Amino acid sequence: DASVFVGLEAAPVGTVARIDAKGGFGFIDTADGREIYFNENSVLNDGFKRLKPGNRVSFAEEAGEKGPQASTVRILGKHGLR
């Protein structure tokens, strides 16, 4: 379904700033200089364990209880995506 790929192209890309493995969350630095929270359950394909600071990710931004947060976090770079 082409609409899925169009949606992925439109997803913002950021860089993992830091991770709290014990707490099960982390933060993404966005292209516009903000830092967005994400939960380990938001990372696709059980990828939270593989995330490291500096990894490039795409994500969907939504309003969370304490401000913006990332959902549908996808690790980039493994399949030719940049």
Side-chain angles (χ1 to χ4, degrees):
D1 183 352
S3 64
V4 171
F5 294 105
V6 170
L8 290 178
E9 290 297 318
V13 173
T15 305
V16 175
R18 59 188 194 275
I19 292 176
D20 183 328
K22 288 184 177 149
F25 66 90
F27 292 90
I28 297 169
D29 281 336
T30 65
D32 59 2
R34 295 177 301 136
E35 200 170 73
I36 297 184
Y37 167 90
F38 69 93
N39 183 280
E40 66 182 319
N41 297 327
S42 301
V43 183
L44 299 180
N45 303 318
D46 200 28
F48 184 78
K49 297 180 198 86
R50 298 190 309 272
L51 275 180
K52 294 178 177 57
N55 283 147
R56 304 274 293 156
V57 294
S58 67
F59 61 96
E61 186 176 332
E62 58 187 38
E65 291 177 19
K66 299 177 182 175
Q69 68 182 39
S71 66
T72 324
V73 177
R74 180 185 308 264
I75 303 170
L76 299 180
K78 300 229 189 276
H79 303 291
L81 294 173
R82 287 191 173 80

